[in-house]
Amino acid sequence: MTHRVAENNTMGRDFVVGDLHGQYGLLMEALDRVAFDKSRDRLFCVGDLIDRGDESYHCLSLAFEPWFHAVRGNHEMLAYRALVEEKGADYFLWLENGGTWVFKQDKQHLRQVLAQALQCLPYACEVPVGNSRVGIVHAEPPADWSDVESEDEAQQRMMVWGRSRIERQDQTPVQGIDVVIVGHTIVKSPVWLGNVLYIDTGAFLTGRLTLLPLDDVIHRRVG
């Protein structure tokens, strides 16, 4: 699946959270602070659920929760290539980049769970917020939001691995969408580039996990 469009949430609130990287405890604390109601509220995540944190398996398992909606990050893709496709070079690259939590898991079971989880993690997600539309990708959106539906491998790799926009400090708005929220690149605090909001505050390093109501994101952008 390349692109998922969420239904309007008429019952509760919608939130977005930055890269989890195995920080399950931090996430639960953040949800408690906002009195998150799993029966009514929804949580959207910019990906990188796993690696660099001991609770990576718990974070990966969130992909199966009805209230949790994430896009795939580069760490999910790297783990998939390492475990499911069994690419030898990628296995060692994954371990070097935080995949050592695999040593505490049953590898065959984890392989199955990861393959199933990837079916729940599209490259891009779109969420209606009032009269606005919020897009979510892990790393870098295309110049025109309609291109998230492309199955071009280079386009998909950019959405999972890209950093050219933030490296150039490119303020050009993404066309065809009101706001895009991304992670992947660690920032001290959430930062806007055009209509793209970067929210990965490096929870595995800093202990700071950014959780924002989508209503607030829209109001800040419009305001």
Side-chain angles (χ1 to χ4, degrees):
M1 180 188 300
T2 59
H3 179 217
R4 175 182 295 151
V5 179
E7 296 181 356
N8 203 348
N9 186 359
T10 59
M11 305 222 8
R13 302 165 297 167
D14 286 339
F15 295 84
V16 65
V17 69
D19 301 33
L20 297 181
H21 280 303
Q23 304 301 310
Y24 184 84
L26 278 181
L27 175 61
M28 293 300 109
E29 290 172 8
L31 294 181
D32 284 345
R33 285 196 295 271
V34 297
F36 187 88
D37 183 343
K38 294 177 182 178
S39 68
R40 301 166 58 89
D41 300 332
R42 298 186 299 190
L43 178 63
F44 294 87
C45 179
V46 297
D48 276 3
L49 312 183
I50 61 172
D51 297 347
R52 297 181 174 146
D54 291 338
E55 298 169 300
S56 287
Y57 182 82
H58 294 297
C59 289
L60 181 63
S61 299
L62 290 170
F64 307 113
E65 295 290 345
W67 51 270
F68 184 86
H69 309 272
V71 295
R72 62 183 62 187
N74 59 302
H75 281 262
E76 284 81 47
M77 296 301 291
L78 189 56
Y80 183 84
R81 286 178 60 85
L83 286 181
V84 180
E85 295 183 350
E86 297 186 311
K87 304 288 187 181
D90 281 332
Y91 182 77
F92 294 106
L93 180 61
W94 178 46
L95 294 182
E96 291 172 359
N97 286 275
T100 53
W101 61 280
V102 69
F103 297 140
K104 297 181 180 180
Q105 307 295 323
D106 179 292
K107 191 179 293 186
Q108 179 60 33
H109 175 69
L110 181 57
R111 182 181 290 116
Q112 294 172 352
V113 171
L114 180 63
Q116 293 168 358
L118 259 290
Q119 299 300 312
C120 304
L121 305 177
Y123 283 93
C125 180
E126 184 178 317
V127 189
V129 182
N131 294 321
S132 300
R133 293 160 52 235
V134 174
I136 300 170
V137 300
H138 176 60
E140 182 161 325
D144 191 303
W145 182 250
S146 64
D147 288 337
V148 298
E149 299 179 14
S150 169
E151 295 188 3
D152 177 72
E153 288 187 8
Q155 179 70 69
Q156 291 177 345
R157 181 174 177 80
M158 181 187 75
M159 289 191 287
V160 172
W161 289 92
R163 283 197 171 98
S164 60
R165 170 181 283 268
I166 195 166
E167 288 173 350
R168 299 193 310 267
Q169 291 293 293
D170 186 355
Q171 298 280 351
T172 307
V174 176
Q175 299 300 307
I177 194 77
D178 295 292
V179 168
V180 182
I181 304 173
V182 303
H184 188 51
T185 301
I186 296 176
V187 291
K188 290 182 179 180
S189 59
V191 60
W192 289 96
L193 286 176
N195 62 346
V196 181
L197 178 62
Y198 289 78
I199 66 166
D200 177 15
T201 43
F204 72 97
L205 282 174
T206 65
R208 290 185 290 107
L209 182 64
T210 293
L211 177 73
L212 300 172
L214 285 184
D215 278 340
D216 286 3
V217 171
I218 290 296
H219 291 156
R220 291 178 193 178
R221 175 62 185 166
V222 173

